[in-house]
Amino acid sequence: MQILSVVGARPQFVKLAAVDRALRRLGYEHVIVHTGQHYDLVMSQAFFDDLAIAPPVANLRIGSGSHAVQTAGILTGLDPILEEHQPDWVLVYGDTNTTLGSALAAAQLRFPLAHLEAGLRSFDRAMPEERNRVVADHVSDLLLAPTAVAVSNLAAEGLGARTVLVGDVMVDALVAVQAQVASAPGRYLPDSLRNGPYLLATVHRPATTDDPARLAATLHALADCPLPVQLLAHPRLRDRANRLGISLTTGALHIAEPLRYPSMIAAMSASRGLITDSGGLQKEALLLGVPCTTLRSQTEWPETLQDGWNVLVSDPQHLVAAVSRPRPPGLPPTPFGDGAAAERVAVELGSWQSDRRPRR
Ligand code: UD1
């Protein structure tokens, strides 16, 4: 059986690492195609190196661009690769433009299509990620859901018969890297984070970066925080702040490059709290027992909100109060599975009867 994974953006490489390991362990042929949506060393190749992922057979090099340019580039680039490999399954991940383009390409050519991390909903169609994941779910043949909430979201859209609860493969990836980091903590924590308590921050969503007033308010709020804020600047944030002439180093705010995955886990673990507008990081913070403050009005991971481990802040004016809250007592909940999700993904892909797959 041959499974062809399509990935292209940072969070997908982490999920891919866990899936690639499980597929190879079970003896499946795993072909990886990179769309090239992310291309900087630290946004892309570093994940393949650090997480020992097999190299892609092709890179479509779509690069940066509008939603149309990225999606169209994937559609035209992927067609000949799918025809050449004739995979038994095409596996797509998460909610990026890479997910949308590759899901459409596979569905239009009638290759069996599985969507990993299916069923997440923020119920905010203004987010490109929400539109991407809804379309990917509806054109897929097999929906691999990470949580019980995702399963019920899919059932509510009439997709229950195609859904399987597998757990979250990011837990698998995190468990593996946590062991690596714990064995040599001094090796992974960047020097700039060794001088006392700090808050770790990431900001990259267009809703935050592309609205000048909101970006300025967010950066002011970060600068007013009661502890030093180490802001790991995604290229989109740097670009927008530069264009608007907004400083990224005022008050409590310190700017740093995005980190490689093991260093990110070390940096989050050592922080007093995370401030983010990312999806996946909210969940990683919970798994690491780090309080999270999310700069959004909704989340596709509502499980993280339990006991105040994650707090949503839609108005940046309320950020300082939210990050000053006491740490929740006790241990965080564990709603995302047991770290064996990738193995279940591999078993599901292997066991689906051929008569349930689409006819070519
Ligand atoms: C994408 C995903 C988002 C995910 C994020 C993780 C979509 C719609 N969004 O957002 O869900 O959370 O990746 O990082 O797919 N750039 C570089 N170097 C790179 C990659 C990007 O400089 O290696 C810059 C470019 O200026 C580009 C901008 O970052 O225009 C945005 O990149 P893009 O891939 O379009 O979206 P992300 O914001 O990264």
Side-chain angles (χ1 to χ4, degrees):
M1 157 123 27
Q2 186 204 82
I3 293 134
L4 187 147
S5 284
V6 190
V7 290
R10 200 164 49 166
Q12 291 164 333
F13 308 137
V14 177
K15 294 162 203 162
L16 174 70
V19 169
D20 182 48
R21 210 174 305 126
L23 289 176
R24 285 193 280 155
R25 200 164 45 229
L26 292 189
Y28 295 127
E29 186 190 350
H30 189 207
V31 172
I32 299 170
V33 177
H34 194 318
T35 63
Q37 179 173 348
H38 285 175
Y39 43 86
D40 286 351
L41 171 73
V42 77
M43 302 278 283
S44 174
Q45 186 58 43
F47 288 85
F48 285 81
D49 297 342
D50 294 340
L51 304 178
I53 307 170
V57 295
N59 188 320
L60 305 181
R61 302 198 186 286
I62 59 155
S64 304
S66 66
H67 296 303
V69 165
Q70 289 185 327
T71 310
I74 294 166
L75 278 166
T76 48
L78 211 48
D79 266 15
I81 294 173
L82 294 178
E83 292 292 9
E84 178 195 337
H85 287 276
Q86 297 288 318
D88 296 295
W89 280 106
V90 176
L91 183 57
V92 301
Y93 300 68
D95 57 18
T96 70
N97 288 343
T98 287
T99 318
L100 175 68
S102 51
L104 286 176
Q108 295 292 33
L109 289 177
R110 304 285 291 144
F111 283 103
L113 173 64
H115 183 204
L116 183 76
E117 213 175 68
L120 299 187
R121 295 291 181 270
S122 65
F123 302 102
D124 177 5
R125 290 279 173 105
M127 291 172 66
E129 291 83 359
E130 181 77 353
R131 301 190 294 274
N132 291 344
R133 60 172 84 98
V134 168
V135 174
D137 282 341
H138 282 259
V139 296
S140 289
D141 306 293
L142 174 59
L143 299 168
L144 300 160
T147 61
V149 173
V151 170
S152 64
N153 288 339
L154 292 166
E157 293 175 26
L159 301 174
R162 298 184 230 166
T163 301
V164 182
L165 177 63
V166 288
D168 185 352
V169 299
M170 276 182 98
V171 178
D172 309 25
L174 187 71
V175 167
V177 170
Q178 243 179 325
Q180 184 186 336
V181 171
S183 68
R187 190 169 146 204
Y188 296 104
L189 193 63
D191 288 343
S192 57
L193 303 185
R194 290 167 196 250
N195 305 319
Y198 62 89
L199 297 163
L200 195 69
T202 77
V203 172
H204 80 276
R205 268 182 209 282
T208 322
T209 59
D210 294 7
D211 172 346
R214 186 166 175 87
L215 178 59
T218 301
L219 294 171
H220 283 138
L222 289 169
D224 283 345
C225 281
L227 286 175
V229 175
Q230 301 287 345
L231 176 62
L232 307 175
H234 183 284
R236 181 198 288 281
L237 171 66
R238 275 185 197 271
D239 175 69
R240 301 306 189 270
N242 275 345
R243 277 199 233 167
L244 294 168
I246 302 177
S247 168
L248 290 173
T249 47
T250 53
L253 201 48
H254 302 263
I255 188 97
E257 292 295 320
L259 294 174
R260 298 171 78 126
Y261 187 64
S263 292
M264 186 66 190
I265 299 306
M268 238 193 299
S269 305
S271 74
R272 288 289 171 89
L274 177 76
I275 303 168
T276 190
D277 62 355
S278 151
L281 284 179
Q282 299 169 43
K283 192 178 48 180
E284 286 170 330
L286 185 82
L287 295 167
L288 294 170
V290 174
C292 180
T293 305
T294 299
L295 293 159
R296 285 167 48 188
S297 51
Q298 24 52 23
T299 175
E300 53 283 329
W301 298 106
E303 301 86 352
T304 58
L305 301 173
Q306 203 179 311
D307 302 333
W309 282 98
N310 184 18
V311 166
L312 300 176
V313 170
S314 50
D315 181 344
Q317 279 188 13
H318 301 140
L319 177 67
V320 171
V323 300
S324 307
R325 73 191 189 273
R327 184 189 159 84
L331 292 173
T334 53
F336 300 117
D338 54 7
E343 193 98 17
R344 272 182 225 112
V345 168
V347 169
E348 281 302 325
L349 293 172
S351 65
W352 261 52
Q353 294 132 15
S354 50
D355 62 353
R356 290 179 76 186
R357 298 194 196 139
R359 219 175 288 281
R360 290 212 71 208

